[in-house]
Amino acid sequence: MRLGGRLAAAIEVLEDIEQRHRPAADALKDWGLSHRFAGAGDRAAIGNIVYDGLRRKRSAGWLVGDETPRAIGFGALLLEWRETPETLNTTLEGDRFAPPPLSADELATIASRDLAQAPDVVRADCPDWCAPLLEQAFGADWVAEGAALASRPPLDLRVNTLKADREKIIAELAGTNAAPAALATNGIRIPPIDGSGRHPNVQSEPAFQDGWFEVQDEGSQIAAELAEAKPGMQVLDYCAGAGGKTLALSATMENRGQIFAHDVERQRLNPIFDRIRRSDNRNVQVLAGPADLADLEGRMDIVLIDAPCTGSGTWRRRPDAKWRLNRHQLDVRRGEQAMILDTAHANVKPGGLLVYVTCSIFEEENCDQVAAFLARRQGFEPVDHAALWERHFSGRAGVARIDPARGISLTPGRTGTDGFFFAALRRSG
């Protein structure tokens, strides 16, 4: 397929997403199943246009002067593919599978607009109702942080130190531009893709099949590192899901002690069993039901809550979720987070840590949630988060947003990671 056919297909997928309010991954999968003639390169390019369009939906539509899937598809190519209106129209001419080229009115609109002069909410590429939440979180930097959340993400890997080291894996991935991560001690980063490119399928690599590494955002790795799990400890990963942080903590503990992986939604735990077998993590026990936690009350050195949240910190990877999110969903998540904190804290032993993590950038899910818990519950005090950060990332204090008494925030704009929040609370008695 030529670019025109790929653009037409991307517009078709964007229309499907808009009309049926469905995840982008599902719409792209269905398109591929009904257009089996499209090769892997075509599907990757179409997916890139779709995801670029969703990330840059506000700015793409503003540039072209409309909010239709067509305008968003064209705008994505202009903003992210280094196309100009002239080169794009030239490319589309004579391609019978292409959408109609940019009209005279569209060309005039594009020529008259400078994105640097666009409204703040357009440059931040966020829904109107989220703008105050970004400003609350980032102050004067909110537009830049919103724009960073609309950029293409890298591919991050975590070295499984039970089986390999970083240099060995980077050598195995020669040709992928893999390099050490900027912050995470055991992180590897493959840069964002360009244009119609696609990330390497690292999960097909023998090194992945042998359990040498896992795919995990650097921010998630940093959160696991800051938890400071040590060999011999008793650790509960209360909302373990697919087990990414469980495996990271297990490796840090060198397979000594115990880590209990729990999730109230049993099906979310399904991937963890294969991951445990592949990675040689031997100190993990999987607990699915609430009754299984009864024996852990007051015994854990660390209880990690990777709380259900809006996922606003992952908008680079799941941009369609940005436009489906609403205020009611945020309020539901806040209620769930408070309930989990009020339940899970009972498993922390005196002197132990309650670690609260989200992949959200919203203060209401982060610092505000921690402050509300401390107001409700006696016997917990925040650790010195500035000192904690310095222990692990000496000399990099200006990178993360750190409130010594409230927590640590990671963002694409400052740390180059997904958006994450981390807070550690020590139980005094």
Side-chain angles (χ1 to χ4, degrees):
M1 297 172 68
R2 295 161 60 184
L3 180 59
R6 291 171 168 179
L7 175 56
I11 293 171
E12 181 182 338
V13 173
L14 287 166
E15 289 172 343
D16 183 26
I17 294 168
E18 181 182 84
Q19 292 168 5
R20 300 172 64 184
H21 306 286
R22 62 199 308 237
D26 292 349
L28 284 163
K29 180 181 178 181
D30 285 353
W31 187 93
L33 291 172
S34 61
H35 297 79
R36 294 184 181 274
F37 61 84
D42 294 323
R43 293 195 299 273
I46 294 164
N48 288 352
I49 299 172
V50 169
Y51 277 95
D52 286 339
L54 292 169
R55 291 185 191 101
R56 306 294 304 274
K57 185 176 179 181
R58 294 296 296 268
S59 54
W62 182 86
L63 181 64
V64 181
D66 207 340
E67 297 180 353
T68 63
R70 169 189 159 84
I72 293 165
F74 273 89
L77 292 179
L78 295 172
L79 291 172
E80 294 288 346
W81 291 56
R82 294 189 294 275
E83 292 282 351
T84 67
E86 295 74 24
T87 61
L88 191 48
N89 271 5
T90 299
T91 299
L92 300 183
E93 287 176 3
D95 185 347
R96 64 190 180 93
F97 298 107
L102 291 163
S103 67
D105 287 345
E106 289 171 329
L107 289 169
T109 298
I110 294 167
S112 69
R113 296 198 161 177
D114 177 1
L115 193 57
Q117 304 303 318
D120 287 347
V121 72
V122 170
R123 292 187 292 124
D125 269 299
C126 70
D128 288 338
W129 74 274
C130 290
L133 299 178
L134 267 67
E135 189 168 9
Q136 179 189 16
F138 303 121
D141 296 332
W142 78 272
V143 173
E145 288 287 0
L149 279 162
S151 62
R152 288 186 174 187
L155 175 61
D156 290 341
L157 314 176
R158 178 186 59 80
V159 176
N160 177 14
T161 53
L162 299 173
K163 285 194 163 189
D165 59 46
R166 187 153 62 179
E167 291 72 21
K168 185 176 182 180
I169 294 172
I170 289 174
E172 284 290 314
L173 298 176
T176 65
N177 294 318
L183 290 169
T185 303
N186 298 308
I188 294 174
R189 170 156 293 184
I190 297 174
I193 56 177
D194 186 55
S196 63
R198 49 182 170 163
H199 275 131
N201 181 14
V202 294
Q203 292 181 331
S204 68
E205 293 285 338
F208 176 81
Q209 299 298 327
D210 289 341
W212 290 9
F213 66 85
E214 290 285 338
V215 177
Q216 186 176 19
D217 180 77
E218 187 181 7
S220 179
Q221 296 180 49
I222 290 170
E225 195 168 338
L226 290 171
E228 295 192 323
K230 293 178 173 58
M233 281 187 168
Q234 299 289 304
V235 177
L236 170 61
D237 187 352
Y238 192 83
C239 303
K245 291 184 182 66
T246 298
L247 300 186
L249 293 168
S250 173
T252 300
M253 295 164 67
E254 300 173 3
N255 267 336
R256 293 152 55 195
Q258 292 257 294
I259 180 163
F260 301 92
H262 168 266
D263 203 291
V264 294
E265 297 185 25
R266 293 170 180 262
Q267 68 274 15
R268 296 186 67 218
L269 290 164
N270 289 341
I272 199 173
F273 299 100
D274 182 60
R275 297 176 81 179
I276 290 171
R277 286 190 293 269
R278 189 178 64 249
S279 61
D280 199 28
N281 293 94
R282 297 189 300 274
N283 65 336
V284 178
Q285 292 190 43
V286 180
L287 307 178
D292 295 333
L293 298 178
D295 291 340
L296 306 185
E297 186 169 336
R299 292 178 46 206
M300 297 295 102
D301 294 288
I302 298 172
V303 173
L304 172 69
I305 299 173
D306 188 1
C309 66
T310 58
S312 52
T314 67
W315 281 347
R316 296 187 302 175
R317 304 181 192 279
R318 302 179 182 88
D320 48 325
K322 173 165 54 174
W323 309 109
R324 292 198 306 272
L325 184 64
N326 57 48
R327 179 73 224 190
H328 173 70
Q329 292 168 332
L330 171 57
D331 290 339
V332 168
R333 289 303 188 207
R334 289 173 57 216
E336 292 171 346
Q337 292 154 8
M339 181 180 66
I340 290 170
L341 281 164
D342 286 342
T343 302
H345 82 277
N347 295 292
V348 183
K349 75 178 188 181
L353 282 180
L354 179 64
V355 174
Y356 177 75
V357 177
T358 76
C359 55
S360 173
I361 56 168
F362 298 149
E363 292 288 276
E364 293 182 29
E365 299 184 273
N366 297 337
C367 290
D368 291 356
Q369 195 68 266
V370 170
F373 171 78
L374 291 173
R376 292 193 305 273
R377 299 286 172 178
Q378 301 298 313
F380 284 87
E381 295 291 336
V383 304
D384 184 338
H385 290 92
L388 173 63
W389 181 267
E390 183 64 18
R391 284 201 297 274
H392 291 269
F393 309 110
S394 179
R396 306 297 299 276
V399 178
R401 297 172 65 91
I402 303 173
D403 184 325
R406 284 156 59 94
I408 298 169
S409 297
L410 311 174
T411 65
R414 293 182 67 112
T415 54
T417 66
D418 284 354
F420 272 90
F421 175 78
F422 175 97
L425 310 176
R426 179 82 62 188
R427 185 167 193 170
S428 57

